[in-house]
Amino acid sequence: MTIRGAPAIGIAAAFGLSLEAAAWKGHDLQAFRSHLVKVADEIQATRPTAVNMAWAMEHLKAIINEEFAGVDELRQRLIARVDEMAEEDVAINHRMAEFGASLVHDGDIIIHHCNTGSLATVDWGTALGAIRLAHEQGKKVHVLVDETRPRLQGSRLTAWELEQYGIPYDIITDNAAGYFLSTHKAQKVMFGADRIARNGDVANKVGSYMLALAAKDNNIPVYSVAPSSSIDLHIACGKQIPIEERDPQEVLGIEIDGKRVSPKSATALNPAFDITPFRLITAFVTEKGIVKPPFSKNLSITLKKPFKGVIL
Amino acid sequence: MTIRGAPAIGIAAAFGLSLEAAAWKGHDLQAFRSHLVKVADEIQATRPTAVNMAWAMEHLKAIINEEFAGVDELRQRLIARVDEMAEEDVAINHRMAEFGASLVHDGDIIIHHCNTGSLATVDWGTALGAIRLAHEQGKKVHVLVDETRPRLQGSRLTAWELEQYGIPYDIITDNAAGYFLSTHKAQKVMFGADRIARNGDVANKVGSYMLALAAKDNNIPVYSVAPSSSIDLHIACGKQIPIEERDPQEVLGIEIDGKRVSPKSATALNPAFDITPFRLITAFVTEKGIVKPPFSKNLSITLKKPFKGVIL
């Protein structure tokens, strides 16, 4: 959890493999390949829910298995590709932000879940990148920052990022989102995605499902902003996405006035993600465009589109 | 907030008026009446959302305006009535618990929001009273305790109460309830009520609405357990119930490892309650029986029923 945010995890994993390639001392190409694949698999096993890391590792494993004259050539190719991936990520982020910002209207109050800004990604971010670009385009926006229990990425990170960008916001408890949606004091819900199944079911930070339900119940649009690498066509629907359970101390460790709140002997359950069914999502925002329903058709089409962003 | 929980607030307010009556030094009946009514109105204005206090104050004001020979007679009548109300409250609680426990099945895992036990009421409590009685009847129950941000009444109070009763539980973040409902790892949702409108819309601790939505989305029953004094036939629907906004520090003051999480300059919005629309409620559990839809008809009928509980 030193690195968090699905896109940041993906690129950090890639850099991890790049470092491993740089450190390798041997001269046997096959041994080098086997070692890299083993390390890639080890990295991939550390976080089950988000697909970005799996995507990056699979992508690099395919490169590892290309033809090379020797260890040095593979090493150079791998390191160069990872550097390029980071550059691409910035371009992908910016393009997503452009598509996302086009959905934001002047005067919008937006409920945002978790942290999806530059602390979670490479540079711009996903949902927060869209909000930031809308703000830079001169649109008046106000963000209701879900605090996002248990790790409070909203009040801890998103609030801090919004202050850096000069975007006005208020923190709210996750519980309060329903109040603001049912009284139509918010016009949009935006969050990221850790993995998008073929049918559009989306795994994201726990609480996204109830937030999307409350938005849908009040005819307020829900946008999931994520790079197309978050779309996993191998997964038919959300039920097949593994949900990471994290340390109960994240729930139990909460303090007010320096004092722990729960009884000493209390136990807790801590699923870190949940599945928002496709029927609650108004559109996905990717670097390849805005994807509307029917998702089971349109997500596949989007994945095949070329990326038209400019690598800055 | 030294006293919390709608039923506890109601009876504490009544005792407040009782103390005021006891302390009165004058001999003019009319002045005494005016003073008591003024104090009742002052007490009533302190908390807008829950109806129990308003109910208690209106009930006592009606008594104050009955015919009396003098100050002493009114004083005695008022003090006696308040003592009686507290006794009645225990009987009401126990009868609610009996009706509520009849809905709990052996082996049920129940998601519970906020605190509705003996710390919020007089003796048994509402939703937690039902769970406690089901447990005492030998049914195997397990409670998923919503921590209930911002004030964490779940992890702070409900968890403690459940330990006293020996009922197994796990604390979960409010965000995680959707996960447990959508994976059918919970079979019931139970909470109290701060005010029930004529049509069955119910004001309760913020987060109840999203919790009920997630239950409904998965065909899991939602029971609101509350004394019939929480039913306010003067209010046609939830939109007419005032929602108390509380101190933003309740949201911002959260700490992990002794450190405040949000930026120093952060602001917050803190609605303390929300409205759960009647369509999401499976049944209300009152001391006069279990009330099923159509609520607009059945709540009025229930209110007219005599109370058959035994004052112990």
Side-chain angles (χ1 to χ4, degrees):
Chain A
M1 289 299 293
T2 303
I3 298 159
R4 48 155 297 285
I9 289 170
I11 200 67
F15 275 118
L17 202 62
S18 181
L19 285 171
E20 196 67 24
W24 179 258
K25 301 285 186 214
H27 298 285
D28 182 306
L29 178 61
Q30 208 43 51
F32 186 36
R33 275 194 173 120
S34 301
H35 177 70
L36 288 175
V37 168
K38 189 178 130 259
V39 170
D41 289 341
E42 278 173 12
I43 292 173
Q44 200 170 328
T46 56
R47 299 293 301 272
T49 301
V51 74
N52 311 64
M53 183 160 69
W55 178 89
M57 293 299 100
E58 291 302 328
H59 177 78
L60 293 175
K61 281 196 278 183
I63 288 172
I64 290 163
N65 286 315
E66 286 171 6
E67 293 213 358
F68 294 102
V71 164
D72 280 346
E73 201 185 77
L74 167 50
R75 184 185 351 246
Q76 279 161 28
R77 171 85 175 100
L78 192 76
I79 292 172
R81 180 62 192 128
V82 171
D83 288 348
E84 203 177 61
M85 282 165 73
E87 305 266 308
E88 277 172 11
D89 241 27
V90 177
I92 285 169
N93 270 237
H94 194 265
R95 196 79 181 114
M96 262 191 297
E98 286 174 338
F99 284 120
S102 76
L103 297 167
V104 175
H105 299 137
D106 189 47
D108 268 354
I109 296 173
I110 303 166
I111 299 186
H112 177 276
H113 196 59
C114 200
N115 176 254
T116 65
S118 52
L119 297 172
T121 60
V122 187
D123 206 6
W124 276 82
T126 59
L128 208 55
I131 293 168
R132 177 177 159 196
L133 189 60
H135 168 75
E136 292 191 2
Q137 289 168 347
K139 290 175 188 167
K140 196 175 155 242
V141 290
H142 188 100
V143 184
L144 295 178
V145 178
D146 261 11
E147 61 178 7
T148 317
R149 282 284 290 152
R151 290 184 70 90
L152 299 158
Q153 291 95 335
S155 42
R156 188 199 297 259
L157 306 176
T158 301
W160 182 86
E161 281 197 51
L162 289 169
E163 292 202 354
Q164 309 310 307
Y165 310 145
I167 301 172
Y169 73 90
D170 287 291
I171 298 173
I172 60 172
T173 63
D174 305 296
N175 275 335
Y179 169 81
F180 290 100
L181 291 164
S182 63
T183 53
H184 287 266
K185 288 175 181 164
Q187 286 76 45
K188 302 259 170 354
V189 165
M190 291 184 124
F191 50 66
D194 284 270
R195 192 186 302 218
I196 302 164
R198 199 159 67 227
N199 70 343
D201 287 355
V202 51
N204 195 46
K205 178 55 35 76
V206 71
S208 301
Y209 165 52
M210 290 203 291
L211 177 58
L213 263 179
K216 179 78 172 181
D217 198 44
N218 295 286
N219 294 311
I220 289 167
V222 177
Y223 300 115
S224 169
V225 187
S228 65
S229 61
S230 303
I231 303 167
D232 187 351
L233 296 183
H234 297 106
I235 295 267
C237 68
K239 276 189 188 165
Q240 297 172 13
I241 301 176
I243 298 295
E244 181 178 354
E245 298 233 9
R246 296 188 47 80
D247 188 345
Q249 287 308 314
E250 291 183 356
V251 181
L252 298 172
I254 198 167
E255 294 165 3
I256 292 178
D257 296 333
K259 270 184 246 162
R260 188 176 136 145
V261 165
S262 56
K264 267 190 189 163
S265 49
T267 53
L269 297 173
N270 186 21
F273 303 91
D274 63 20
I275 305 293
T276 301
F278 69 88
R279 64 190 151 83
L280 305 178
I281 302 286
T282 309
F284 290 99
V285 179
T286 77
E287 80 283 10
K288 295 182 176 182
I290 296 165
V291 190
K292 291 185 180 165
F295 296 125
S296 50
K297 186 181 146 210
N298 292 343
L299 283 169
S300 308
I301 292 173
T302 299
L303 264 188
K304 283 177 200 144
K305 280 189 189 170
F307 171 50
K308 290 186 182 156
V310 178
I311 296 183
L312 304 166
Chain B
M1 289 299 294
T2 303
I3 297 159
R4 49 154 298 286
I9 289 171
I11 201 68
F15 276 118
L17 202 62
S18 181
L19 285 171
E20 195 67 28
W24 180 257
K25 302 285 184 211
H27 299 285
D28 182 309
L29 178 62
Q30 207 46 49
F32 186 38
R33 274 194 174 120
S34 302
H35 176 71
L36 289 175
V37 168
K38 188 177 131 266
V39 171
D41 289 341
E42 278 172 13
I43 292 173
Q44 200 169 329
T46 56
R47 298 293 302 271
T49 301
V51 73
N52 311 62
M53 183 160 70
W55 178 90
M57 292 300 100
E58 291 302 329
H59 177 79
L60 293 176
K61 281 196 282 185
I63 289 172
I64 290 163
N65 287 314
E66 286 172 5
E67 293 210 1
F68 294 102
V71 165
D72 280 346
E73 200 184 79
L74 168 50
R75 181 178 3 237
Q76 279 162 25
R77 170 85 173 99
L78 193 76
I79 293 172
R81 179 62 192 129
V82 171
D83 288 347
E84 201 177 63
M85 282 165 74
E87 305 265 308
E88 276 171 12
D89 242 25
V90 177
I92 286 169
N93 270 238
H94 194 265
R95 195 78 180 116
M96 265 192 294
E98 286 174 337
F99 283 120
S102 76
L103 297 167
V104 175
H105 299 138
D106 190 47
D108 269 353
I109 295 174
I110 303 166
I111 299 186
H112 177 277
H113 195 60
C114 200
N115 176 257
T116 65
S118 54
L119 297 172
T121 60
V122 187
D123 205 6
W124 276 81
T126 58
L128 208 55
I131 293 169
R132 177 178 159 195
L133 189 60
H135 167 77
E136 292 192 4
Q137 289 168 346
K139 291 176 187 167
K140 197 176 154 241
V141 291
H142 188 101
V143 184
L144 295 178
V145 178
D146 262 12
E147 62 178 8
T148 318
R149 281 286 287 152
R151 290 183 69 93
L152 299 157
Q153 291 95 335
S155 41
R156 191 198 296 259
L157 306 177
T158 301
W160 182 85
E161 280 196 50
L162 289 169
E163 291 201 356
Q164 310 311 307
Y165 310 145
I167 301 173
Y169 72 92
D170 287 290
I171 298 173
I172 61 172
T173 63
D174 304 297
N175 276 334
Y179 168 82
F180 290 100
L181 290 164
S182 63
T183 53
H184 287 265
K185 288 176 180 164
Q187 286 77 45
K188 301 262 171 355
V189 165
M190 292 184 123
F191 49 66
D194 284 271
R195 193 187 300 219
I196 302 163
R198 200 161 66 228
N199 70 343
D201 288 354
V202 51
N204 194 47
K205 179 55 35 74
V206 70
S208 300
Y209 165 49
M210 292 204 289
L211 177 59
L213 265 179
K216 179 78 173 182
D217 199 43
N218 295 286
N219 294 312
I220 289 166
V222 177
Y223 300 115
S224 169
V225 187
S228 64
S229 61
S230 303
I231 303 167
D232 186 353
L233 295 183
H234 297 106
I235 295 267
C237 68
K239 277 189 187 163
Q240 297 172 13
I241 302 177
I243 298 295
E244 181 178 355
E245 298 232 8
R246 296 187 45 82
D247 188 344
Q249 289 308 315
E250 291 183 356
V251 181
L252 298 171
I254 196 167
E255 293 165 5
I256 291 177
D257 295 333
K259 273 184 246 164
R260 189 176 134 145
V261 165
S262 56
K264 267 189 188 164
S265 50
T267 53
L269 297 173
N270 186 21
F273 303 90
D274 62 20
I275 305 293
T276 300
F278 68 87
R279 62 189 151 84
L280 305 178
I281 302 288
T282 309
F284 290 98
V285 179
T286 76
E287 81 281 10
K288 293 181 175 183
I290 295 165
V291 190
K292 292 185 180 164
F295 296 125
S296 51
K297 185 181 146 209
N298 292 344
L299 284 169
S300 308
I301 292 173
T302 299
L303 263 188
K304 284 176 200 143
K305 281 188 188 172
F307 170 52
K308 291 185 181 158
V310 178
I311 297 183
L312 304 167

